[in-house]
Amino acid sequence: MDSDKTMSLANEKGFQVKDIIFNRTRGRKRRIERRLDRFNYPEDMSQPVMGRGDLKFELGERTVATGCGGLGLVHQFVQQVGLPAEIDDRVHLFKTHLPYHESDHVLNLAYNAMCGGTCLEDLELRRQDEAYLNALGADRIPDPTTAGDFCRRFTADSLDALHAAFDAARLKVWAQQPQEFFDEARIEADGTMVETGAECKEGIDISYKGVWGYHPLVVTLANTGEVLRLVNRPGNRPSHEGAAAQLDQCVALCREAGFRRILLRGDTDFSQTEHLDRWHEQGVTFVFGMDVTSLKHMYADDLPKEAWEILERPDRPEPKTKPRSRPPQVKQKIVEERGFKDIRLVNELVAEMPYRPHACRHDYRLIIVRKNLQVSEPRQQRLFPDYRYFLYITNDAEMSPSDVVFSANDRCHQENIIAQLNSLRSLHSPVDNLTSNHAYMLITSLAWNLKAWMALWLPETPGRWQQRHREEKRSLLQMEFRTFLNYWILLPCQVLRTGRRIVLRVLAYNQWQPAFFRLAQHVSRPLRC
């Protein structure tokens, strides 16, 4: 009887807190909308809107606040999925902890990236922020020099162990998703160049473009944008080197998670024909680009006319706002005025044929796209047609040729993910050798994965708001890191330490706060098994 009464009081208190947050958020929203109303003009319009205020600066005595208050929610989420324990159980780089554990170093670097830090030296700013330390429940955090030394301790085995720790937490996040989430896993691989002007970094080399640096391999999950594998390599290595082994690990991970279908995608550098039969026999679907050799060019030229059909691209979505007049094409005007060579697309044709690569025992579908072009050379007064081929190989017997092309084109979104990793300075080489920079890249890429995991963790409340919550979840999953940083992390918060609790009092409003508090309440609940 007493336990029922206690539970009832706890639930009643929880609803009261929820109502208070809702009312305060709604009040702040109304006030800001009133101030931003386009017809809300100031009484005195003879003066600039940004007037001169009577400002006075004081230093707080007891009250402490941080500009990265949203990181408290990130840390609470990390604790709930058990990521620190997974790291400490698998990664063993210290014989004695004085006082930092491996998870402290990993989260320290990842949190620095999540707060907008761009280099190791920015860790010193976090160390000097008393409210930041209070929000994490830490007396201190590693300094930049110690963090760099931690990266230098890594070996190939410990990097694999760190990948395994991330995968263990990832599986817990995926396990909370609905059944339709596991319909298909779309795994993509690509290489990117990390340029450096340093001359003493071990492992750097010169690429075919004449750029010195590293050439990391990035394997991502297109469904969520997560980085599944990140492997650092010298700058002169080809894009596909070591990709098959990493793709195999990602396939095993997705099978363990329960995905019913797995699709591998990559550009022409990743059509590793010696592995296609093995993937095909394992039930893995693939769509890879193929190089256009002279022999394949002859095959395409010999196809009959009836084998080709028009490739119809899907229409662009209608704009939700009023249509606006298009600005003049400045670039095209310059091309015509200066007599540059002008190449215009006339139409696209698509066809398919059976094809067996030399290293394979099975026949696969070779999808051929022919782009018919119109080439204009004003200086030579010539106008002539031209065409180019693009090839894709797949073992998917159900998709139409057009759908195969569209699926291969969707892989271009991975370039946006790599751009996001660059924006948070994950693809950066601040340490002194190949392995230590590999560790730094992998750890800071966790910041991007945490954003995706938090989006997946965002609950969808059944009822009238379910569709709206689903849209918020999708928007957060697709959100650029800089936007996520501004709306979710850079929240000014007062940090209060009362008894056994740490209270973060949000001091400013933005449009994502309802979702922020909904996720905060969900994270405070026990993990559903």
Side-chain angles (χ1 to χ4, degrees):
M1 195 67 181
D2 293 338
S3 62
D4 294 340
K5 185 177 180 180
T6 303
M7 182 66 69
S8 176
L9 291 174
N11 291 336
E12 182 179 351
K13 184 177 181 181
F15 281 114
Q16 290 176 355
V17 173
K18 184 176 180 180
D19 291 341
I20 290 173
I21 292 176
F22 175 77
N23 292 333
R24 289 179 179 176
T25 304
R26 184 173 58 180
R28 289 186 177 187
K29 181 180 180 181
R30 286 178 176 174
R31 290 197 299 271
I32 196 66
E33 287 179 347
R34 191 181 305 117
R35 298 182 70 165
L36 298 180
D37 185 1
R38 58 182 299 184
F39 298 109
N40 183 21
Y41 299 116
E43 296 181 359
D44 185 7
M45 299 184 60
S46 62
Q47 300 293 331
V49 175
M50 297 184 183
R52 179 180 178 182
D54 185 11
L55 300 179
K56 182 180 180 181
F57 291 95
E58 295 181 351
L59 183 62
E61 182 179 358
R62 290 188 176 183
T63 303
V64 293
T66 180
C68 304
L71 193 65
L73 176 59
V74 177
H75 188 59
Q76 190 177 14
F77 167 76
V78 164
Q79 298 293 330
Q80 187 177 46
V81 298
L83 181 57
E86 299 291 349
I87 295 173
D88 291 333
D89 288 344
R90 289 172 168 81
V91 183
H92 305 288
L93 300 179
F94 300 121
K95 294 182 179 180
T96 305
H97 302 109
L98 295 173
Y100 306 116
H101 289 237
E102 286 81 357
S103 61
D104 294 325
H105 282 281
V106 172
L107 295 179
N108 185 42
L109 288 169
Y111 289 170
N112 181 51
M114 291 203 79
C115 293
T118 59
C119 58
L120 290 174
E121 285 71 21
D122 288 339
L123 288 171
E124 192 60 35
L125 178 62
R126 317 292 167 218
R127 282 167 50 84
Q128 303 296 329
D129 190 342
E130 181 182 359
Y132 177 90
L133 298 176
N134 291 346
L136 299 181
D139 291 330
R140 59 178 179 177
I141 58 176
D143 59 41
T145 302
T146 307
D149 292 338
F150 173 74
C151 292
R152 296 184 186 94
R153 288 177 176 264
F154 274 88
T155 62
D157 291 339
S158 53
L159 286 169
D160 292 338
L162 187 58
H163 269 122
F166 291 170
D167 289 342
R170 192 191 321 271
L171 290 174
K172 294 179 185 179
V173 176
W174 289 354
Q176 308 299 313
Q177 305 311 305
Q179 282 300 313
E180 55 268 21
F181 176 81
F182 300 97
D183 289 342
E184 182 183 59
R186 300 186 299 277
I187 303 173
E188 301 173 341
D190 200 2
T192 184
M193 196 67 194
V194 175
E195 184 177 357
T196 177
E199 299 182 358
C200 300
K201 291 186 185 292
E202 182 271 328
I204 63 170
D205 215 316
I206 188 169
S207 71
Y208 71 97
K209 294 183 179 180
V211 176
W212 285 91
Y214 297 108
H215 189 190
L217 169 69
V218 183
V219 183
T220 60
L221 182 68
N223 309 49
T224 61
E226 299 173 56
V227 176
L228 299 181
R229 291 293 182 271
L230 198 155
V231 181
N232 196 21
R233 304 169 300 185
N236 66 335
R237 307 317 302 158
S239 290
H240 65 272
E241 184 174 84
Q246 302 302 321
L247 289 173
D248 287 337
Q249 293 180 18
C250 295
V251 168
L253 174 66
C254 292
R255 288 196 188 281
E256 182 182 355
F259 282 96
R260 293 178 284 276
R261 189 170 182 267
I262 299 176
L263 172 65
L264 303 180
R265 296 194 298 206
D267 59 20
T268 57
D269 290 331
F270 293 88
S271 58
Q272 304 161 86
T273 55
E274 64 271 19
H275 302 285
L276 297 184
D277 283 343
R278 176 167 53 82
W279 287 329
H280 177 69
E281 292 165 0
Q282 292 174 355
V284 177
T285 309
F286 55 81
V287 176
F288 292 117
M290 294 285 287
D291 288 322
V292 183
T293 63
S294 57
L295 183 60
K296 297 188 185 75
H297 202 287
M298 291 173 55
Y299 289 158
D301 285 340
D302 292 341
L303 288 175
K305 290 184 178 181
E306 55 270 17
W308 298 93
E309 61 181 23
I310 297 293
L311 178 63
E312 296 288 349
R313 297 282 180 178
D315 296 332
R316 293 184 177 181
E318 291 291 334
K320 297 181 181 179
T321 57
K322 294 182 180 180
R324 296 179 295 178
S325 59
R326 299 189 63 179
Q329 295 185 347
V330 179
K331 180 179 178 180
Q332 183 62 28
K333 182 180 178 180
I334 295 176
V335 170
E336 294 174 357
E337 289 178 351
R338 301 183 184 178
F340 293 156
K341 184 177 181 179
D342 190 12
I343 302 177
R344 289 180 171 272
L345 177 66
V346 178
N347 60 15
E348 293 177 288
L349 303 176
V350 62
E352 71 169 291
M353 59 175 288
Y355 177 70
R356 178 183 297 183
H358 293 294
C360 297
R361 302 182 304 275
H362 301 283
D363 289 337
Y364 301 110
R365 299 172 64 192
L366 187 67
I367 309 300
I368 308 170
V369 176
R370 173 171 172 158
K371 292 182 179 287
N372 293 322
L373 309 172
Q374 187 180 67
V375 183
S376 174
E377 293 185 349
R379 293 181 178 179
Q380 300 182 15
Q381 297 183 350
R382 290 202 308 164
L383 180 65
F384 60 92
D386 194 6
Y387 64 91
R388 295 175 186 174
Y389 288 129
F390 294 85
L391 308 179
Y392 308 95
I393 189 170
T394 181
N395 64 339
D396 192 313
E398 299 178 358
M399 284 196 297
S400 66
S402 298
D403 289 337
V404 173
V405 176
F406 299 151
S407 178
N409 294 159
D410 285 341
R411 194 205 61 80
C412 296
H413 181 65
Q414 191 184 26
E415 297 291 339
N416 297 329
I417 298 176
I418 293 176
Q420 295 303 312
L421 294 176
N422 277 309
S423 71
L424 61 91
R425 299 286 285 177
S426 177
L427 300 178
H428 182 51
S429 54
V431 211
D432 65 341
N433 60 64
L434 181 73
T435 305
S436 60
N437 281 307
H438 183 177
Y440 179 84
M441 294 177 190
L442 177 59
I443 293 172
T444 50
S445 69
L446 175 63
W448 172 255
N449 284 346
L450 286 175
K451 182 197 78 74
W453 295 350
M454 290 175 63
L456 294 175
W457 208 259
L458 189 64
E460 301 175 14
T461 306
R464 56 184 292 193
W465 303 108
Q466 185 172 13
Q467 184 61 33
R468 178 178 177 180
H469 292 172
R470 186 173 293 124
E471 288 297 321
E472 288 179 344
K473 184 174 183 177
R474 182 188 59 83
S475 299
L476 180 57
L477 193 61
Q478 299 176 354
M479 184 180 291
E480 292 187 354
F481 187 80
R482 182 57 57 180
T483 306
F484 174 76
L485 175 66
N486 290 330
Y487 283 100
W488 283 76
I489 304 300
L490 300 183
L491 292 177
C493 288
Q494 181 183 359
V495 183
L496 307 173
R497 302 180 70 173
T498 58
R500 298 180 180 179
R501 299 183 60 190
I502 300 176
V503 178
L504 274 73
R505 183 174 295 163
V506 180
L507 303 177
Y509 169 79
N510 65 60
Q511 60 187 6
W512 278 96
Q513 277 192 9
F516 179 90
F517 283 108
R518 191 168 75 252
L519 179 58
Q521 292 175 359
H522 186 62
V523 167
S524 63
R525 298 168 185 166
L527 180 64
R528 176 169 59 89
C529 299

